[in-house]
Amino acid sequence: MLHDLDAEQIPRHVAIIMDGNGRWAKARGKPRLFGHKAGAAMVRETIASAIDLDIKYLTIYSFSTENWTRPEDEVSGIMALFVEVLSRELQNLQEQNVRVRIIGDLAPLPEKTRAAFENCVSETSCNTGLTLIVAVNYGARADIVHAVQAIAHEVQDGALQPADVSPEIFAAHLSTAGIPDPDLLIRTSGELRVSNFLLYEIAYTEIVVTDTLWPDFDHDEFFACVAEYQARARRYGGV
Ligand code: IPE
Ligand code: IPE
Ligand code: MG
């Protein structure tokens, strides 16, 4: 598959809405958490694929600000799963030179889960390879509102003039500050919506939706999405 791709047109930043764990489990007569476990296991392969392809930034949507509305046992199961996966994968991330960044608010997470994420970020902070951005308790609207509040404070303090607020200044106040906008957004499991993910950053991102459920999204599926991206003509409003 790899040789079918154009090495000159590899997306620098790929963002993924990892959807379909529940349906994958349901199809097997299993509880939803069984699907989340299978989905979490697939992330290791996704990271390996991104490294193979020389992608520089990979953002994965792992828990949204709206996912708290799910049944209590599913939420607590996911929170425990984060702890398990982060401790299991840390060594692998180090070996692969992956730097982990978080977008989203960790404060409302259970203490152990928050600590596991913070540990992973600090332990990998000197790595220089792939940047893995994990969106956890992330919602683009909350992130945008947070940026507006921060800018309002700076204006109030006289550090910034209202007329100086530009798209670039605004982007610098989002949790994705310093990260280039995604070139490719992949959503698995066929839903044609963005579900409050990176609303500001995806203005000119190419979107690929696959019917494959997240736990089945392997190397070949990833490469096929990149191939579809490479067949697109990006125009940015031009001709
Ligand atoms: C994505 O899979 C994982 C999270 C949102 C945490 P879902 O749990 O949304 O799976 P479906 O969409 O119900 O199949
Ligand atoms: C988006 O999936 C969030 C994550 C993948 C973490 P959802 O399953 O929560 O989105 P909806 O409910 O289908 O819009
Ligand atoms: Mg879903």
Side-chain angles (χ1 to χ4, degrees), residues 19-20 23 70:
D19 197 17
R23 278 163 278 177
R70 295 185 177 205

Side-chain angles (χ1 to χ4, degrees), residues 3-220:
H3 56 263
D4 293 334
L5 295 176
D6 177 356
E8 300 299 312
Q9 280 192 72
I10 295 297
R12 183 151 67 133
H13 181 177
V14 176
I16 308 182
I17 301 174
M18 309 184 292
D19 197 17
N21 294 349
R23 278 163 278 177
W24 187 90
K26 194 174 181 201
R28 285 158 184 77
K30 302 277 193 185
R32 295 178 59 83
L33 201 59
F34 183 77
H36 294 314
K37 285 184 181 161
M42 191 50 90
V43 173
R44 179 190 268 240
E45 187 164 330
T46 309
I47 292 167
S49 303
I51 293 169
D52 271 3
L53 288 168
D54 203 25
I55 288 163
K56 303 296 183 202
Y57 299 87
L58 175 68
T59 301
I60 53 173
Y61 203 5
S62 63
F63 194 84
S64 76
T65 47
E66 287 72 34
N67 288 150
W68 295 106
T69 61
R70 295 185 177 205
E72 210 279 320
D73 62 334
E74 182 177 350
V75 171
S76 60
I78 291 171
M79 292 299 147
L81 185 60
F82 280 136
V83 178
E84 193 185 310
V85 172
L86 289 165
S87 70
R88 187 178 72 209
E89 294 301 321
L90 183 56
Q91 196 188 335
N92 180 48
L93 293 169
Q94 299 291 33
E95 283 165 10
Q96 310 247 47
N97 196 22
V98 176
R99 179 178 185 175
V100 177
R101 246 180 95 160
I102 304 295
I103 55 172
D105 183 10
L106 292 182
L109 268 56
E111 172 56 27
K112 273 190 175 175
T113 310
R114 191 175 60 76
F117 275 114
E118 283 172 352
N119 179 56
C120 205
V121 169
S122 64
E123 290 289 324
T124 63
S125 64
C126 295
N127 290 344
T128 55
L130 174 75
T131 299
L132 175 70
I133 301 129
V134 185
V136 52
N137 189 26
Y138 173 86
R141 286 184 169 178
D143 203 38
I144 288 168
V145 168
H146 182 264
V148 170
Q149 288 172 344
I151 289 170
H153 277 297
E154 287 178 35
V155 169
Q156 194 173 40
D157 295 346
L160 195 63
Q161 294 301 310
D164 292 337
V165 181
S166 61
E168 292 74 24
I169 296 273
F170 189 80
H173 288 79
L174 293 169
S175 63
T176 49
I179 300 167
D181 288 342
D183 300 292
L184 168 61
L185 170 66
I186 298 169
R187 180 162 189 152
T188 58
S189 88
E191 307 292 353
L192 299 176
R193 54 177 174 258
V194 291
S195 301
N196 201 14
F197 194 39
L198 303 174
L199 299 181
Y200 189 83
E201 297 87 340
I202 60 172
Y204 274 103
T205 299
E206 295 296 328
I207 301 176
V208 172
V209 175
T210 167
D211 285 336
T212 304
L213 303 175
W214 176 253
D216 293 326
F217 190 81
D218 61 10
H219 279 296
D220 287 354

